[in-house]
Amino acid sequence: MTTPRTTARQKPMATGAPTIVWLRQELRLDDHPALLAAAERGPVVPVYIWSPEEDAPWSPGGASRWWLHHSLAWLRERLTAVGSRLTLRVGRSVDELLAVAAECGADTIVATRRYEPFVHDASRVAELAQHGVRLEIVEGSLLMQPELLRTGSDRPYQVYTPFARTLRSMEPPPRPRIAPALTPPPIWPRSIPLETLRLLPTIEWAGEFNEHWSPGGEGAAEKLRRFLTGPVDCYERDRDVPSTDGTSGLSAHLHFGEISPRRVWYAVGDAIKRRDDATFMKAAEKFRAEVLWREFGHHILVHFPRTDLEPLRSEFARFPWDDNREALLAWQQGRTGYPLVDAGMRQLWRTGWMHNRVRMVVASFLVKHLLLPWQAGARWFWDTLVDADLANNSLGWQWSAGCGADAAPYFRIFNPVLQGEKFDPEGTYVRRFVPELARIPAKFLHRPWDAPAAVLAAGGVTLGIDYPHPIVEHGLARARALAALSKVSAARAEASDA
Ligand code: FAD
């Protein structure tokens, strides 16, 4: 396996004009096109500017801020170790870039492209140019530039399978490159302490995050190494089993650009070559297919930039959503009375992450059982996920609500009991996150309301006191969701229970 290397070496002080590397969501040194481009020209000034209001309406949520703090701390340490520095600033990004440029005598800035609709780089390029400063935007966060993928009829893809097939048939992305040597500038710009950004929560709710995550490039490399030397073999099976550590856990590292998707892609490819084993190749390719869902999510967001807030399928704009704040709160707090849903929501709150299978179940529950708008779920995920990513989150929520690209049909309504019995048959996952049900036997764990009174008593559970009764009955909720769907005129469906 090729592991990410951050082996930047120190170069002697140079006298040429430095180039600013404006770091945004690519907090690494390895395989970093913007950093490589700047390093080839001479001295480099790496800068991070905290300007959350510029990301409105999606300024980073609490869990993302926690991650960002630690990621910046790691980056600052790495840069110092290789004789460079991380310049931190707060404020309007163009103003800060101009100030930094003036302080260190730079006239060129390189940044990696961001794909969110609220990122208006063209106007920044124009404004900086008025002051004689050039801003260059380079690709670097995806395997393939989204604009390069078009259907036969020259349209953006809206279905994953042909999208992924086309991507795989194209010239492969260039192999990842190691970190360049970074030449320091003659004069460093002023920097503020990381603590000034106030990214960590003031109320200690993220305590358990430290047990699960190591933000930064080394943490990312370790996650990839662990995955490729173990879990990948059983990925096809375990990726659906929430009680196992069967997935890579790379999503937040990828979102913050602590590891490049090319590094991941080629590490998997190298492992396939080394193992030369058809079963391994199938599992590893399944994993690569998931990495391509990330590409697909970004492709959709670039071509349909309103899908963070509006359904891709416009007929869903007429969907008769409910507005039940109590139900929303019960869902957020993991008190719906459906153990798998509650375990997922509590995993999210405690660890800042939720298993993909359970994300699908809780999302379906919100939009179909509770008839609450998918945007409310996306917003809650945004605030609580350490891997909150506008492209992937919008794709996941629209998929779950049946209104997005290549979405699950709205009429396929996940039954949280059947999902629990299938993917958490022993209840290991539910017992971990819903400890009040820990002593209920597996047979009744996913439907405690069916358990005889003696079984509940032996398990120390009184429904309605220790654990809630279901807030909606599955059969009724399903019928209500299908009736609501029938109001969406263009939607045609045939009911089925998954
Ligand atoms: P692995 O199984 O190891 O997959 C490897 C990588 O592939 C992931 O790190 C991720 O970058 C990508 N990937 C995997 N599955 C998907 C997918 N379905 N869509 C897009 N990319 C995928 N993912 C996020 O990164 N950020 C989000 O905000 C997010 N919100 C979601 C909301 C909903 C309602 C749903 C159903 C899914 C969401 N996902 C999101 C996708 C997926 O759940 C996570 O990427 C995955 O669980 C991360 O765990 P992992 O890194 O161990 O994944």
Side-chain angles (χ1 to χ4, degrees):
M1 185 188 82
T2 312
T3 45
R5 286 160 54 190
T6 47
T7 52
R9 301 170 305 280
Q10 186 173 1
K11 263 190 180 174
M13 192 93 89
T15 48
T19 302
I20 294 170
V21 175
W22 179 22
L23 299 163
R24 303 192 283 188
Q25 276 172 4
E26 52 299 320
L27 306 179
R28 64 177 181 271
L29 305 187
D30 167 77
D31 193 35
H32 195 310
L35 204 57
L36 284 156
E40 273 162 21
R41 294 172 197 176
V44 176
V45 177
V47 176
Y48 183 87
I49 303 164
W50 175 239
S51 51
E53 56 293 329
E54 291 180 9
D55 287 0
W58 296 105
S59 56
S64 296
R65 288 177 193 223
W66 175 89
W67 190 288
L68 179 61
H69 175 93
H70 294 289
S71 191
L72 289 172
W74 173 83
L75 189 65
R76 184 181 56 181
E77 206 180 295
R78 283 303 304 150
L79 283 167
T80 306
V82 298
S84 184
R85 279 188 205 175
L86 178 62
T87 296
L88 285 173
R89 309 284 279 233
V90 178
R92 185 172 169 266
S93 50
V94 168
D95 294 345
E96 293 304 316
L97 287 169
L98 285 171
V100 169
E103 286 170 37
C104 67
D107 60 8
T108 306
I109 302 163
V110 193
T112 307
R113 178 176 172 192
R114 287 182 64 181
Y115 303 95
E116 298 96 331
F118 53 74
V119 177
H120 303 295
D121 278 341
S123 63
R124 289 176 176 141
V125 169
E127 192 180 342
L128 286 161
Q130 283 172 6
H131 294 84
V133 176
R134 184 180 153 80
L135 171 60
E136 293 170 16
I137 305 290
V138 300
E139 298 284 331
S141 306
L142 294 175
L143 291 170
M144 204 66 81
Q145 188 182 334
E147 289 81 1
L148 298 180
L149 289 129
R150 309 286 293 179
T151 65
S153 48
D154 198 26
R155 294 211 173 92
Y157 283 97
Q158 293 191 48
V159 181
Y160 168 81
T161 305
F163 168 85
R165 198 186 306 125
T166 301
L167 195 151
R168 283 178 184 269
S169 72
M170 292 166 78
E171 178 86 12
R175 279 197 82 91
R177 293 173 60 186
I178 62 166
L182 298 177
T183 306
I187 301 168
W188 282 107
R190 185 178 52 81
S191 179
I192 56 167
L194 177 55
E195 291 62 35
T196 321
L197 273 46
R198 297 171 177 274
L199 296 172
L200 293 178
T202 41
I203 304 166
E204 188 42 84
W205 57 268
E208 207 177 315
F209 287 16
N210 292 302
E211 292 169 28
H212 296 274
W213 308 111
S214 299
E218 255 111 54
E222 174 51 26
K223 278 264 191 292
L224 181 60
R225 191 203 57 74
R226 180 204 72 94
F227 180 69
L228 290 182
T229 49
V232 65
D233 287 84
C234 302
Y235 183 69
E236 283 181 289
R237 184 195 66 203
D238 287 356
R239 61 183 290 274
D240 269 326
V241 182
S243 61
T244 64
D245 236 356
T247 64
S248 71
L250 278 169
S251 47
H253 297 287
L254 280 165
H255 170 76
F256 285 97
E258 297 166 356
I259 190 166
S260 75
R262 293 195 301 208
R263 181 62 74 193
V264 175
W265 187 262
Y266 277 99
V268 177
D270 291 345
I272 291 173
K273 276 191 211 135
R274 243 191 348 269
R275 292 275 291 266
D276 190 22
D277 157 358
T279 314
F280 177 79
M281 185 168 106
K282 196 159 163 278
E285 287 299 354
K286 178 70 190 156
F287 173 69
R288 273 180 160 181
E290 294 306 312
V291 175
L292 295 189
W293 272 99
R294 176 178 183 270
E295 298 281 317
F296 184 57
H298 285 79
H299 179 83
I300 295 292
L301 190 63
V302 164
H303 291 292
F304 304 97
R306 298 168 76 98
T307 49
D308 58 333
L309 297 168
E310 294 173 12
L312 180 68
R313 291 175 53 189
S314 55
E315 68 269 24
F316 273 83
R318 292 192 295 278
F319 194 87
W321 297 113
D322 202 358
D323 177 23
N324 182 338
R325 298 211 59 78
E326 223 175 285
L328 179 62
L329 203 63
W331 178 82
Q332 290 172 338
Q333 295 179 343
R335 291 188 294 102
T336 67
Y338 285 91
L340 185 63
V341 173
D342 294 343
M345 297 310 293
R346 296 188 201 182
Q347 178 182 32
L348 175 60
W349 184 253
R350 276 170 52 182
T351 70
W353 187 85
M354 192 195 300
H355 190 279
N356 181 60
R357 165 62 47 185
V358 192
R359 288 188 204 204
M360 293 194 289
V361 172
V362 305
S364 169
F365 189 85
L366 185 84
V367 296
K368 297 175 185 179
H369 284 72
L370 302 181
L371 284 188
L372 293 173
W374 60 269
Q375 292 93 335
R379 179 58 71 181
W380 181 251
F381 269 31
W382 187 257
D383 286 337
T384 50
L385 276 173
V386 289
D387 67 17
D389 178 281
L390 199 64
N392 289 355
N393 201 37
S394 308
L395 181 79
W397 276 98
Q398 293 228 22
W399 185 92
S400 301
C403 60
D406 208 356
Y410 187 88
F411 57 82
R412 183 168 303 140
I413 296 173
F414 277 122
N415 179 331
V417 175
L418 297 184
Q419 290 286 312
E421 289 173 351
K422 186 167 177 192
F423 296 109
D424 187 33
E426 296 307 317
T428 316
Y429 176 75
V430 163
R431 286 179 220 283
R432 190 181 307 153
F433 291 106
V434 188
E436 60 268 39
L437 296 180
R439 291 193 289 131
I440 300 295
K443 185 174 174 203
F444 295 110
L445 191 67
H446 292 287
R447 44 191 176 93
W449 55 87
D450 281 342
V455 170
L456 287 176
V461 175
T462 306
L463 286 182
I465 294 178
D466 305 299
Y467 184 71
H469 291 289
I471 55 170
V472 281
E473 195 272 317
H474 173 69
L476 290 177
R478 185 166 171 277
R480 192 177 60 161
L482 293 172
L485 177 69
S486 69
K487 296 194 183 128
V488 178
S489 60
R492 295 152 277 110
E494 191 192 316
S496 79
D497 210 346

